[in-house]
Structures are given as C-alpha cells and as structure tokens.
Amino acid sequence: MRIDKFLKISRIVKRRTVAKQITDKGRIKINDRVAKSSSNVVQGDIVTIGFGNKTLKIKINSIKENVKKEEAEQLYDILAENYKENFND
C-alpha cells in the first residue's frame, strides 16, 4: 500500500492530499530512507514522520484497505514521539 494512503487510513493524517504533500517535501522516512508518496509500505516497516514541531516514529502492524475509526490505531505502534522546544530569548 502507498504511504500516503496508509497515513490517511490509519488516521495519522486527515487527508490523503496532505499526506502526499508532506511526503513529497521529504518529511517521511521508511526504514530510514526518504520516501516518495508512491513508496509502498508493508507490515513491519518503521516510518518516521516529521510534523512542524513533532516527530513521530511508528511501526506498521498491519495493512488494511478499510478500517473503522476505533480500529485505526491498531494498524501501528508508536515507537517514539518527540517535540522540538522553542526557546525565544
């Protein structure tokens, strides 16, 4: 499954177009390699996502075409969630 579609189905990103945009900007890595929006993910892949001030690292548990909102979090495990701190002096 394409990474942009997985991010939308898993509810990590709300819209697939947004997932495609952040992927094309180089903010997503699959197994420590910069991904394109057309890159495929499989079960067991480690995905690192760079949001504005947050970095999320997940491991993909399963790939499904359709899931209910309650089941979306079961598609992945969060390995790390880091926030950048801004010091305005």
Side-chain angles (χ1 to χ4, degrees), residues 5-46:
K5 186 173 181 182
F6 177 81
L7 292 173
K8 191 241 184 249
I9 287 175
S10 64
R11 312 281 198 299
I12 293 172
V13 177
K14 290 188 179 190
R15 290 187 300 268
R16 187 169 175 181
T17 54
V18 174
K20 184 178 183 330
Q21 289 171 353
I22 63 172
T23 305
D24 290 341
K25 288 182 180 178
R27 295 187 187 173
I28 297 183
K29 293 182 180 179
I30 301 171
N31 299 324
D32 292 326
R33 289 179 163 155
V34 176
K36 296 180 181 177
S37 57
S38 61
S39 299
N40 286 321
V41 290
V42 294
Q43 184 175 344
D45 279 349
I46 305 295

Side-chain angles (χ1 to χ4, degrees), residues 4-15 49 51 56 64-73 75-76:
D4 57 346
K5 186 173 181 182
F6 177 81
L7 292 173
K8 191 241 184 249
I9 287 175
S10 64
R11 312 281 198 299
I12 293 172
V13 177
K14 290 188 179 190
R15 290 187 300 268
I49 307 156
F51 296 102
L56 184 66
K64 294 183 180 177
E65 290 294 322
N66 296 309
V67 293
K68 294 180 182 177
K69 186 177 181 180
E70 302 82 34
E71 299 170 356
E73 288 184 9
L75 295 178
Y76 61 93

